Amino acid sequence: QVQLVESGGGLVQPGGSLRLACAATGLSFSTYAMSWYRQVPGKERELVALIGIYFATKYANDVKGRFTISRDNGKNTIYLQMNNLKSEDTAVYYCNGKRNTLDYWGKGTLVTVSS
């Protein structure tokens, strides 16, 4: 059974940093493109960052230069380092793993940016 489990969310002040992690089990992790998405109530889930199987990365325009996605295939884990956080980064952050027609999601972790 595939499981993606996010951790690291919480409350942080504007300008602060957080590091999210997503641990994957039950899949051949190195063969999956892995991503972080986020969603706020009333809006569609949006892509934040993606890292491919060859470690190429892609970012949403509003997080470029502030967020960094990485993966550790030895630990079956991806990370999202988030710096200079803004109130508009407040959302539930979801981990996603995708390979061809296979598409798996975690349950999400809440990030709240507020003073």
Side-chain angles (χ1 to χ4, degrees), residues 18-20 36 48-49 51 57 59 63-71 78-83:
L18 278 178
R19 188 193 194 205
L20 306 183
W36 288 98
V48 176
I51 185 164
T57 57
Y59 296 92
V63 307
K64 283 181 182 177
R66 299 190 297 123
F67 291 11
T68 302
I69 189 171
S70 60
R71 66 189 299 161
I78 62 167
Y79 304 95
L80 186 68
Q81 177 66 44
M82 305 187 293
N83 298 327

Side-chain angles (χ1 to χ4, degrees), residues 38-46 62 88 90-92 94:
R38 65 187 180 189
Q39 188 171 25
V40 298
K43 292 190 176 182
E44 291 188 358
R45 195 171 294 188
E46 63 175 8
D62 59 350
E88 51 264 42
T90 294
V92 177
Y94 296 92

Side-chain angles (χ1 to χ4, degrees), residues 1-5 22-27 76 95 104-107:
Q1 182 179 0
V2 175
Q3 282 192 314
L4 303 179
V5 180
C22 170
T25 57
L27 75 169
N76 287 6
C95 177
Y104 300 107
W105 293 90
K107 294 183 178 180

